[in-house]
Amino acid sequence: MTSLCNSEEEKLAHFMHRIETGDKIEADDWMPEEYRLTLIKLISMHGISEIMGALPEKEWVPKAPSLSRKLGIMAKVQDEMGHGQLLLRVTEDLLKPYGKNRGDLMQDLFNGDLKFHNVFHMKTTTWADAGIIGWLVDGAAIITQTNMLGASYGPYGRALQRICAEEVFHAQHGESIIMALAEGTNNQKAMIQESINYWWESLLMFFGPASKETTGSSKQDLTIKYKIRTKTNEEFRQIFFDKYIPRILSLGLTIPDSTIKFDADSKIWTYKQPDWNEFKKIIKNEGPRSQERLNLRRTSYENNAWVRDALSAVVN
Amino acid sequence: MEGVSKMTGEKTFYQEYEVFSKRTPSSTFQHQFSLLAPNEDMALILAQENFMRREPVADIWIVNRKNVRKMDAEEKMTLGRLDNKEYRTTKGYGYLKKKWRQYEQQVLDEKEILSWGGERK
Amino acid sequence: MSMTENSMSAEYKEAITSLLFQLADDDFLYAFRGSEWLGLAPHIEEDVASSSISQDSMGHAAMFYQLLEDLGAGKADDLAHLRSAQDRSNSILIERVNGEGYYMETPNYDWAYQVVRSYFYTQAKRVKMDSLCESSYRPIAEVAIKVKMELYYHKLHWETWFKQLMSSTDVAKKKMNDAITLVMNDFGDVFSFGNLKQKIESNNLLDSEEEMKKRWLASIGPVFDALQMEVPAIPNHPVMNGRNGEHTKDLDEALLTLSEVYKLDPVAVW
Ligand SMILES: [Fe+2]
Ligand SMILES: [Fe+2]
C-alpha cells in the first residue's frame, strides 16, 4: 500500500485497493480511464438534470398561490440550480484531461450528447404538479442520492452531502404543498390525483431499467464495481415503493396501477412495468416537453453570451 | 486567457475560486466548495449565496485555485508516520496521576489547565 | 412624534396606508420580475445568488403587506394577489417586463436591463429605508431597520455587476447605456408619493420627494464619477404615475400570471 507504484497494473491494483479499503479518490489522483469516464457520465448527467430540472418547477414559481409559497418554491428551485452548480464543478474538474469546460457541457446538452433525467422532460399542468415534483420526484432522487453519499469519489460524496442536507427541506416543501391540497377542496384533491396519475410511470422510469436487457444499456454495473453506489436500480425502486406507497394511500389517494401488490414473504412489490420504449424516446429528447425545455435553456444561454464575453475582459 | 476550451476553442470567462468561510468571529476558516467566476470581486459576491445560504457567516475568503499549492500523490506519501510519538502527548505521562496521588496532589491535566483562564476558584 | 394605531387620525392612516402600498407593491413586483429570471441568468452561480435577492425582496413585500393587514386593509395574501392594476401603487419602472417573450416560452430577457434596473432600484430603496428608520410611524421604522440589513448585499451585488459591465466590451457598454436610458425614462415616479404627497410628507412619515431624489443622485455619484459618466437626470414629470394607479399592460399581464393559481379559489388554503 505504501510503495510507489509505477506500472499501469500496479497503479490499478493500488487504486482498487484504495477503493476497497474505503479511501476516497480526489480529482488530481491517478484513476483508471474507465472510472473517470463512468464518473463523468454519471455526474454530468446528474448535474445537467438539476439545471434542466429547475425548469418544470420554475414554471410555477411566479404563479405560486401565496406569499409564503412564492418564497418556498423560489428557494427550492434556487437549491436545484445550486445542485447543478456543485455537480457541474465536480464534473468540470474530471474533464480537465480532455480540455473540456462548462461551455462544452452546455453544447453537449444542446446537441443531444448529454442527457437529462426522464422526469424533467414531462409537462406540468397545475400547481399540484409542483407539489408532486417536490414530494415524489425529489423523493425518488433522495433515494438514489443518499445511496451515493459514501461514493469512492470524494468530491462527489462531498457535493452529495450538501445536496442531501437541502433535500430534507425539499421533501418537506413538497409534503406541505400536497398536504394542503389533500386537506383542501374537492377540486384541489382531484388536482393531486390527476398529477399522480400523470407522473407515476415517469417516477418508476426514473430509477432506470432493472437490467440492461430492458433498454440495451445500463451503467449500474460499473457504478457498483467502483463503489460509487451500492444498490441496483430495482432495489431503489423497491425502496421508493416502501416509503411512498403507504404515504400516498394514507392521504386517500390511489396508485394508478391496479396490479401493484406487496408480497410480505419476499418483501417485494410487483407492479406493472412502465413502457420502456417510451423511456428510450424520452431520454433521446423526444418527450412531451424535451424540445421546449432545451429551447428555453438554449435561448437563455445564447442571449446571455455577451455577458460572459464582456466579463472575460474584466480583470481585477 | 484562462478557460479556453480545447474542444470548441470558445473563450469563456471562467476561473476557479475556492471559497472559505467562518461561522462566527471566533471560529476557524473552513473550506466550502469551489465556484466559477470571472474575477475575485465577482467571486466574492457569489460565494455566500451559493454555499452558505442557510448558515451564519462571519467572514469569507476567496482564493484563486491557481494560487493553491497542492500535493501530488508522491508528496502525499510524506504524510505517513509511525504511531510511536507518545512522548509528544500526555499519553506518555499517564503514570504521573498515580504518582501525584502519593503526594496528595492532583496532576495538572488538560481539564485543570484550561480552567485557569476562568475565575480564580 | 410617535403614533400608535388608536391615536391615529383618519388623514394619518390614509397617508401611511398609501405609502405602505407603494413600498409593498414595489418589492412584490420587483421580486416577481426577479423570479421570472430564475434559471435563466447568464451564469449558474449568478442564478443562485440573484435568486436570494428576489427572495429577500419578496420577504420585504410580505412585511409591508403584513403592516397593511395590521392596519385593517385586508389579508396580506389577498392584497398581494387579488388587487387589480388600477389599485396598485408600484412604480412603472418595476412593472416593466424583463424583455420580450413569456417566461415559459422564448423569453428574450435583457441582463443589462436587469442589472441597471436592479442597481438603481436598490439605491432608491436604500434611500427610502434610511429615511423610514426615522419615521413617525414606529411599525414601519422597525421594518425599515430590518430591510436595510439585507440591502448591503443587494447594493454590493448590483453595483459590482454595474461597474464591471460598464468597464468591459463595447457591446456591453452599448447595452448598458441603452438600459440606462430605458430605466431613467421610467424613473419619474420612483420617488413620487402620488396624490398623497402632501399628507405623506407633512405627517413626517419620511423625507420629501425632492430630498430623497438628491440623496439618490448622491448615492450613485461616486460610481458614475469613477466610470467617467454623467449622472443621469430624474424626469420631473412622469408620463404615467404608478403611485396613482396608472399602469401599463405589462402590469396586467404580470397580475394574470402571479394570481393564476390563487384566483382559482381565493378562499381555499393553498
Ligand atoms: Fe436537486
Ligand atoms: Fe431537490
PDB file of all heavy atoms in Angstrom, chain A residues 46 49-50 76 79-84 87 120 138 141 145 163 166-167 170, ligand 1:
ATOM      1  N   HIS A  46     -26.229  13.891 -13.858  1.00  0.00           N
ATOM      2  CA  HIS A  46     -26.867  14.312 -12.616  1.00  0.00           C
ATOM      3  C   HIS A  46     -26.913  15.845 -12.558  1.00  0.00           C
ATOM      4  O   HIS A  46     -27.958  16.446 -12.297  1.00  0.00           O
ATOM      5  CB  HIS A  46     -26.083  13.724 -11.430  1.00  0.00           C
ATOM      6  CG  HIS A  46     -26.715  13.963 -10.093  1.00  0.00           C
ATOM      7  ND1 HIS A  46     -26.164  13.511  -8.928  1.00  0.00           N
ATOM      8  CD2 HIS A  46     -27.840  14.613  -9.735  1.00  0.00           C
ATOM      9  CE1 HIS A  46     -26.930  13.875  -7.901  1.00  0.00           C
ATOM     10  NE2 HIS A  46     -27.948  14.548  -8.362  1.00  0.00           N
ATOM     11  N   SER A  49     -29.163  17.452 -15.123  1.00  0.00           N
ATOM     12  CA  SER A  49     -30.560  17.180 -14.776  1.00  0.00           C
ATOM     13  C   SER A  49     -31.061  18.151 -13.706  1.00  0.00           C
ATOM     14  O   SER A  49     -32.248  18.482 -13.668  1.00  0.00           O
ATOM     15  CB  SER A  49     -30.723  15.740 -14.269  1.00  0.00           C
ATOM     16  OG  SER A  49     -30.439  14.833 -15.310  1.00  0.00           O
ATOM     17  N   GLU A  50     -30.171  18.579 -12.818  1.00  0.00           N
ATOM     18  CA  GLU A  50     -30.572  19.584 -11.821  1.00  0.00           C
ATOM     19  C   GLU A  50     -30.915  20.896 -12.528  1.00  0.00           C
ATOM     20  O   GLU A  50     -31.922  21.544 -12.222  1.00  0.00           O
ATOM     21  CB  GLU A  50     -29.436  19.842 -10.816  1.00  0.00           C
ATOM     22  CG  GLU A  50     -28.972  18.618 -10.038  1.00  0.00           C
ATOM     23  CD  GLU A  50     -29.861  18.277  -8.850  1.00  0.00           C
ATOM     24  OE1 GLU A  50     -30.848  18.989  -8.613  1.00  0.00           O
ATOM     25  OE2 GLU A  50     -29.561  17.272  -8.168  1.00  0.00           O
ATOM     26  N   LYS A  76     -36.575  26.656  -3.226  1.00  0.00           N
ATOM     27  CA  LYS A  76     -36.407  25.267  -3.642  1.00  0.00           C
ATOM     28  C   LYS A  76     -35.762  25.197  -5.023  1.00  0.00           C
ATOM     29  O   LYS A  76     -34.799  24.453  -5.237  1.00  0.00           O
ATOM     30  CB  LYS A  76     -37.786  24.595  -3.625  1.00  0.00           C
ATOM     31  CG  LYS A  76     -37.760  23.096  -3.548  1.00  0.00           C
ATOM     32  CD  LYS A  76     -37.581  22.434  -4.870  1.00  0.00           C
ATOM     33  CE  LYS A  76     -37.749  20.932  -4.791  1.00  0.00           C
ATOM     34  NZ  LYS A  76     -37.554  20.286  -6.086  1.00  0.00           N
ATOM     35  N   ASP A  79     -32.198  26.124  -4.930  1.00  0.00           N
ATOM     36  CA  ASP A  79     -31.365  24.997  -4.491  1.00  0.00           C
ATOM     37  C   ASP A  79     -31.039  24.080  -5.662  1.00  0.00           C
ATOM     38  O   ASP A  79     -29.919  23.578  -5.775  1.00  0.00           O
ATOM     39  CB  ASP A  79     -32.091  24.163  -3.433  1.00  0.00           C
ATOM     40  CG  ASP A  79     -32.101  24.810  -2.069  1.00  0.00           C
ATOM     41  OD1 ASP A  79     -31.417  25.838  -1.872  1.00  0.00           O
ATOM     42  OD2 ASP A  79     -32.792  24.287  -1.181  1.00  0.00           O
ATOM     43  N   GLU A  80     -32.022  23.814  -6.514  1.00  0.00           N
ATOM     44  CA  GLU A  80     -31.778  22.891  -7.629  1.00  0.00           C
ATOM     45  C   GLU A  80     -30.714  23.468  -8.564  1.00  0.00           C
ATOM     46  O   GLU A  80     -29.837  22.753  -9.048  1.00  0.00           O
ATOM     47  CB  GLU A  80     -33.073  22.594  -8.396  1.00  0.00           C
ATOM     48  CG  GLU A  80     -34.198  21.981  -7.555  1.00  0.00           C
ATOM     49  CD  GLU A  80     -33.848  20.660  -6.869  1.00  0.00           C
ATOM     50  OE1 GLU A  80     -32.711  20.180  -7.011  1.00  0.00           O
ATOM     51  OE2 GLU A  80     -34.729  20.119  -6.162  1.00  0.00           O
ATOM     52  N   MET A  81     -30.780  24.773  -8.824  1.00  0.00           N
ATOM     53  CA  MET A  81     -29.721  25.394  -9.618  1.00  0.00           C
ATOM     54  C   MET A  81     -28.387  25.248  -8.878  1.00  0.00           C
ATOM     55  O   MET A  81     -27.347  25.001  -9.481  1.00  0.00           O
ATOM     56  CB  MET A  81     -30.021  26.883  -9.864  1.00  0.00           C
ATOM     57  CG  MET A  81     -31.179  27.167 -10.806  1.00  0.00           C
ATOM     58  SD  MET A  81     -31.002  26.429 -12.450  1.00  0.00           S
ATOM     59  CE  MET A  81     -29.679  27.425 -13.150  1.00  0.00           C
ATOM     60  N   GLY A  82     -28.447  25.407  -7.569  1.00  0.00           N
ATOM     61  CA  GLY A  82     -27.241  25.249  -6.757  1.00  0.00           C
ATOM     62  C   GLY A  82     -26.681  23.824  -6.836  1.00  0.00           C
ATOM     63  O   GLY A  82     -25.465  23.637  -6.891  1.00  0.00           O
ATOM     64  N   HIS A  83     -27.572  22.833  -6.863  1.00  0.00           N
ATOM     65  CA  HIS A  83     -27.093  21.450  -7.013  1.00  0.00           C
ATOM     66  C   HIS A  83     -26.390  21.294  -8.360  1.00  0.00           C
ATOM     67  O   HIS A  83     -25.362  20.623  -8.463  1.00  0.00           O
ATOM     68  CB  HIS A  83     -28.258  20.454  -6.929  1.00  0.00           C
ATOM     69  CG  HIS A  83     -28.956  20.476  -5.609  1.00  0.00           C
ATOM     70  ND1 HIS A  83     -30.112  19.789  -5.358  1.00  0.00           N
ATOM     71  CD2 HIS A  83     -28.645  21.128  -4.460  1.00  0.00           C
ATOM     72  CE1 HIS A  83     -30.487  19.992  -4.111  1.00  0.00           C
ATOM     73  NE2 HIS A  83     -29.620  20.815  -3.550  1.00  0.00           N
ATOM     74  N   GLY A  84     -26.970  21.917  -9.374  1.00  0.00           N
ATOM     75  CA  GLY A  84     -26.325  21.888 -10.692  1.00  0.00           C
ATOM     76  C   GLY A  84     -24.934  22.499 -10.602  1.00  0.00           C
ATOM     77  O   GLY A  84     -23.962  21.961 -11.150  1.00  0.00           O
ATOM     78  N   LEU A  87     -22.498  20.039  -8.865  1.00  0.00           N
ATOM     79  CA  LEU A  87     -22.200  18.834  -9.643  1.00  0.00           C
ATOM     80  C   LEU A  87     -21.446  19.167 -10.921  1.00  0.00           C
ATOM     81  O   LEU A  87     -20.569  18.413 -11.350  1.00  0.00           O
ATOM     82  CB  LEU A  87     -23.501  18.091  -9.951  1.00  0.00           C
ATOM     83  CG  LEU A  87     -24.197  17.559  -8.682  1.00  0.00           C
ATOM     84  CD1 LEU A  87     -25.643  17.178  -8.976  1.00  0.00           C
ATOM     85  CD2 LEU A  87     -23.440  16.359  -8.114  1.00  0.00           C
ATOM     86  N   PHE A 120     -37.746  15.183 -16.134  1.00  0.00           N
ATOM     87  CA  PHE A 120     -37.704  16.617 -16.440  1.00  0.00           C
ATOM     88  C   PHE A 120     -38.050  16.918 -17.893  1.00  0.00           C
ATOM     89  O   PHE A 120     -37.974  18.065 -18.334  1.00  0.00           O
ATOM     90  CB  PHE A 120     -36.343  17.184 -16.037  1.00  0.00           C
ATOM     91  CG  PHE A 120     -36.036  16.927 -14.587  1.00  0.00           C
ATOM     92  CD1 PHE A 120     -34.871  16.288 -14.190  1.00  0.00           C
ATOM     93  CD2 PHE A 120     -36.954  17.296 -13.606  1.00  0.00           C
ATOM     94  CE1 PHE A 120     -34.613  16.029 -12.849  1.00  0.00           C
ATOM     95  CE2 PHE A 120     -36.708  17.043 -12.264  1.00  0.00           C
ATOM     96  CZ  PHE A 120     -35.531  16.400 -11.885  1.00  0.00           C
ATOM     97  N   ASP A 138     -38.477  14.525  -6.034  1.00  0.00           N
ATOM     98  CA  ASP A 138     -37.368  14.709  -5.097  1.00  0.00           C
ATOM     99  C   ASP A 138     -37.217  13.485  -4.202  1.00  0.00           C
ATOM    100  O   ASP A 138     -36.103  13.075  -3.876  1.00  0.00           O
ATOM    101  CB  ASP A 138     -37.552  15.974  -4.256  1.00  0.00           C
ATOM    102  CG  ASP A 138     -37.111  17.215  -5.010  1.00  0.00           C
ATOM    103  OD1 ASP A 138     -37.650  17.436  -6.105  1.00  0.00           O
ATOM    104  OD2 ASP A 138     -36.217  17.937  -4.528  1.00  0.00           O
ATOM    105  N   ALA A 141     -35.287  11.039  -6.071  1.00  0.00           N
ATOM    106  CA  ALA A 141     -33.895  11.484  -6.186  1.00  0.00           C
ATOM    107  C   ALA A 141     -33.166  11.309  -4.852  1.00  0.00           C
ATOM    108  O   ALA A 141     -31.979  10.968  -4.821  1.00  0.00           O
ATOM    109  CB  ALA A 141     -33.847  12.939  -6.638  1.00  0.00           C
ATOM    110  N   GLN A 145     -29.639   9.489  -4.322  1.00  0.00           N
ATOM    111  CA  GLN A 145     -28.532  10.356  -3.884  1.00  0.00           C
ATOM    112  C   GLN A 145     -27.968   9.934  -2.535  1.00  0.00           C
ATOM    113  O   GLN A 145     -26.751   9.947  -2.332  1.00  0.00           O
ATOM    114  CB  GLN A 145     -28.978  11.819  -3.847  1.00  0.00           C
ATOM    115  CG  GLN A 145     -29.253  12.359  -5.245  1.00  0.00           C
ATOM    116  CD  GLN A 145     -29.758  13.789  -5.251  1.00  0.00           C
ATOM    117  OE1 GLN A 145     -29.309  14.619  -6.036  1.00  0.00           O
ATOM    118  NE2 GLN A 145     -30.710  14.090  -4.389  1.00  0.00           N
ATOM    119  N   ILE A 163     -26.044  18.458  -0.969  1.00  0.00           N
ATOM    120  CA  ILE A 163     -27.319  18.296  -1.662  1.00  0.00           C
ATOM    121  C   ILE A 163     -28.344  17.609  -0.766  1.00  0.00           C
ATOM    122  O   ILE A 163     -29.479  18.072  -0.624  1.00  0.00           O
ATOM    123  CB  ILE A 163     -27.105  17.512  -2.978  1.00  0.00           C
ATOM    124  CG1 ILE A 163     -26.332  18.392  -3.975  1.00  0.00           C
ATOM    125  CG2 ILE A 163     -28.430  17.045  -3.563  1.00  0.00           C
ATOM    126  CD1 ILE A 163     -25.847  17.666  -5.221  1.00  0.00           C
ATOM    127  N   GLU A 166     -30.007  19.648   1.824  1.00  0.00           N
ATOM    128  CA  GLU A 166     -31.077  20.507   1.308  1.00  0.00           C
ATOM    129  C   GLU A 166     -32.305  19.703   0.898  1.00  0.00           C
ATOM    130  O   GLU A 166     -33.426  20.209   0.925  1.00  0.00           O
ATOM    131  CB  GLU A 166     -30.552  21.332   0.119  1.00  0.00           C
ATOM    132  CG  GLU A 166     -29.497  22.316   0.556  1.00  0.00           C
ATOM    133  CD  GLU A 166     -28.936  23.180  -0.569  1.00  0.00           C
ATOM    134  OE1 GLU A 166     -29.169  22.882  -1.763  1.00  0.00           O
ATOM    135  OE2 GLU A 166     -28.251  24.158  -0.246  1.00  0.00           O
ATOM    136  N   GLU A 167     -32.093  18.445   0.521  1.00  0.00           N
ATOM    137  CA  GLU A 167     -33.226  17.617   0.104  1.00  0.00           C
ATOM    138  C   GLU A 167     -34.236  17.415   1.238  1.00  0.00           C
ATOM    139  O   GLU A 167     -35.413  17.189   0.985  1.00  0.00           O
ATOM    140  CB  GLU A 167     -32.756  16.260  -0.418  1.00  0.00           C
ATOM    141  CG  GLU A 167     -31.993  16.304  -1.738  1.00  0.00           C
ATOM    142  CD  GLU A 167     -32.789  16.851  -2.919  1.00  0.00           C
ATOM    143  OE1 GLU A 167     -34.010  17.076  -2.788  1.00  0.00           O
ATOM    144  OE2 GLU A 167     -32.167  17.073  -3.972  1.00  0.00           O
ATOM    145  N   HIS A 170     -36.480  20.044   0.746  1.00  0.00           N
ATOM    146  CA  HIS A 170     -37.286  19.818  -0.458  1.00  0.00           C
ATOM    147  C   HIS A 170     -38.410  18.827  -0.196  1.00  0.00           C
ATOM    148  O   HIS A 170     -39.537  19.010  -0.650  1.00  0.00           O
ATOM    149  CB  HIS A 170     -36.412  19.301  -1.599  1.00  0.00           C
ATOM    150  CG  HIS A 170     -35.388  20.295  -2.024  1.00  0.00           C
ATOM    151  ND1 HIS A 170     -34.552  20.092  -3.083  1.00  0.00           N
ATOM    152  CD2 HIS A 170     -35.074  21.516  -1.536  1.00  0.00           C
ATOM    153  CE1 HIS A 170     -33.764  21.131  -3.227  1.00  0.00           C
ATOM    154  NE2 HIS A 170     -34.054  22.008  -2.287  1.00  0.00           N
TER     155      HIS A 170
HETATM  156 FE    FE D   1     -31.540  18.572  -6.536  1.00  0.00          FE
END
